[in-house]
Amino acid sequence: MITKDIDYVAALLNENQVAAIPTETVYGLAANAFEDVPLKKIFDLKQRPYSNPLIVHIKSKEYLPVVAKNIPMIAQRLIDEFWPGPLTLILDKQNIVSSVATGGKNKVAIRMPNHPIAIKLLEQLDYPLAAPSANPFGSISPTKASHVEKYFANSIPAILDGGTCDAGLESTIIGFDNGRPILYRHGSITIAKIEEVVGKVTYFSSYSSEIVAPGMLSKHYSPKTKLLLVENVKAIIPYFKKCRIGLILYKERKTDDITIYQEILSPNGNLAEAASNLYDAMHRLDQKNLVIILAEKFPDIDLGKTINDRLDRAASK
Ligand code: TXA
Ligand code: MG
């Protein structure tokens, strides 16, 4: 059930149930980060391996020491600059955080979301919320309550409606190695912005098949329809004559053929707007019974990097 009733959702969470919550990035599948039982439910609902840790969402910067310790100096600088917001930090875990949430690791991923409804909910609870994106493992993340409903209508008691997620792409994940920043996942905050605050960031080698962060798995964020990421869509369209195809494009239409579904993510060429529309466009195309979705590469700068990262993984076999 989709609801706007924060008290109701708080009551469900207090009873160790799982509920979907809005954030500025994507919707999350949330439960008490201190309790093993509801956290296990999250993994089962998503069919996610227990070894893949969840992100813990906290209500304020001041709450951080409850869940993490040994905060590196540069982590604090990032927090001052980007919280509340789409930046997740991997830090040493406090014992109170369930090791189910952290996949048995002694590090915990933490962020303070920048969404008024998520914060209002967190303020009503005596615990933080562990929440991965509210989609089955590997599939497209939800940016609207209706996307979550499509996945979990019959398996969770409530989806807290917070409208469409502004950012539309998951948080950027940064870890630390001897106090130096390591990028675990491209996200809503660009590397350029992070480097302005902490200097050079090392990239954790991507396309690992090893499960370090599932967001780094080469196959992820995928529609059921086959998706191809190409440099030049116009050159590829002729190979799919008479087929039902869909296009994911940045600024402009690429064909006058009205039988081809074209999703233009930002007619004005704004990467933030394109990011915010990406998953919704993928959800829509995925429901049209297409033979293939062709996505054209975005400019490889700023949020274009994150969009390309997600399209690349959606396309990966
Ligand atoms: O924007 C977001 O980050 C959304 C919203 C709901 O906050 N959440 C999200 O969660 O994208 P999820 O589970 O889809 O992705 C969490 C990522 C995974 O790639 C996970 O492996 C990584 O965070 N992660 C969590 N804890 C970690 C840890 N201790 N070490 C390394 N990676 C970790
Ligand atoms: Mg996810």
Side-chain angles (χ1 to χ4, degrees):
M1 181 189 84
I2 296 179
T3 176
K4 289 191 191 281
D5 189 342
I6 297 179
D7 296 343
Y8 173 62
V9 172
L12 289 172
L13 292 164
N14 285 336
E15 286 167 12
N16 276 348
Q17 305 228 42
V18 173
I21 61 161
T23 81
E24 79 279 33
T25 58
V26 300
Y27 276 75
L29 210 50
N32 184 339
F34 299 159
E35 289 288 338
D36 297 354
V37 170
L39 294 170
K40 284 187 179 147
K41 277 190 215 162
I42 293 180
F43 286 89
D44 295 343
L45 283 163
K46 275 186 70 96
Q47 297 188 298
R48 170 173 175 134
Y50 286 114
S51 58
N52 292 348
L54 312 177
I55 295 175
V56 172
H57 298 71
I58 60 174
K59 63 183 169 190
S60 66
K61 297 180 190 181
E62 290 68 38
Y63 194 83
L64 181 62
V66 177
V67 286
K69 57 188 177 189
N70 310 326
I71 318 293
M73 241 161 57
I74 54 165
Q76 194 54 56
R77 289 222 295 278
L78 289 169
I79 289 167
D80 293 343
E81 187 69 26
F82 297 114
W83 280 10
L87 175 69
T88 295
L89 301 176
I90 314 264
L91 298 166
D92 287 351
K93 149 189 187 311
Q94 294 281 16
N95 282 336
I96 190 167
V97 178
S98 161
S99 59
V100 175
T102 62
K105 297 181 203 299
N106 53 15
K107 303 263 185 193
V108 57
I110 302 169
R111 78 181 193 97
M112 177 188 174
N114 187 16
H115 193 292
I117 292 174
I119 294 295
K120 228 180 193 167
L121 173 65
L122 285 167
E123 281 171 348
Q124 290 197 24
L125 305 172
D126 299 329
Y127 46 84
L129 290 172
S133 52
N135 52 278
F137 189 60
S139 60
I140 314 166
S141 300
T143 53
K144 292 182 164 169
S146 61
H147 297 159
V148 184
E149 195 179 34
K150 204 174 69 186
Y151 290 136
F152 296 116
N154 300 321
S155 44
I156 57 174
I159 299 162
L160 182 57
D161 191 358
T164 300
C165 303
D166 274 348
L169 291 176
E170 294 82 354
S171 59
T172 304
I173 304 183
I174 300 282
F176 303 92
D177 180 24
N178 285 316
R180 283 179 330 223
I182 314 277
L183 175 71
Y184 278 71
R185 177 176 76 183
H186 282 286
S188 255
I189 296 180
T190 65
I191 291 311
K193 281 205 184 126
I194 301 224
E195 290 188 333
E196 274 173 31
V197 180
V198 295
K200 195 87 198 120
V201 171
T202 310
Y203 286 39
F204 200 101
S205 72
S206 42
Y207 296 107
S208 165
S209 57
E210 212 184 307
I211 296 175
V212 183
M216 299 175 58
L217 284 180
S218 42
K219 176 80 176 167
H220 218 72
Y221 312 104
S222 297
K224 288 192 234 60
T225 315
K226 189 176 166 56
L227 186 146
L228 214 57
L229 178 60
V230 300
E231 296 283 348
N232 179 354
V233 153
K234 260 188 179 159
I236 308 292
I237 292 173
Y239 291 99
F240 294 95
K241 263 205 188 90
K242 297 205 175 121
C243 293
R244 286 169 61 84
I245 67 170
L247 307 180
I248 295 178
L249 304 164
Y250 181 21
K251 291 189 272 199
E252 60 221 20
R253 300 174 67 78
K254 293 286 159 138
T255 166
D256 294 328
D257 184 340
I258 52 159
T259 67
I260 295 179
Y261 294 93
Q262 300 183 64
E263 291 283 353
I264 318 293
L265 301 191
S266 173
N268 298 321
N270 178 317
L271 285 170
E273 183 184 39
S276 144
N277 289 327
L278 174 67
Y279 289 149
D280 195 28
M282 283 168 70
H283 279 282
R284 267 198 302 273
L285 290 176
D286 208 18
Q287 285 178 327
K288 293 204 184 317
N289 268 313
L290 304 171
V291 169
I292 199 162
I293 299 167
L294 302 175
E296 188 162 273
K297 272 212 175 121
F298 277 65
D300 205 37
I301 48 155
D302 299 330
L303 278 174
K305 272 194 204 297
T306 307
I307 294 173
N308 285 337
D309 171 86
R310 299 302 191 269
L311 287 171
D312 206 5
R313 290 172 207 276
S316 159
K317 276 234 179 83

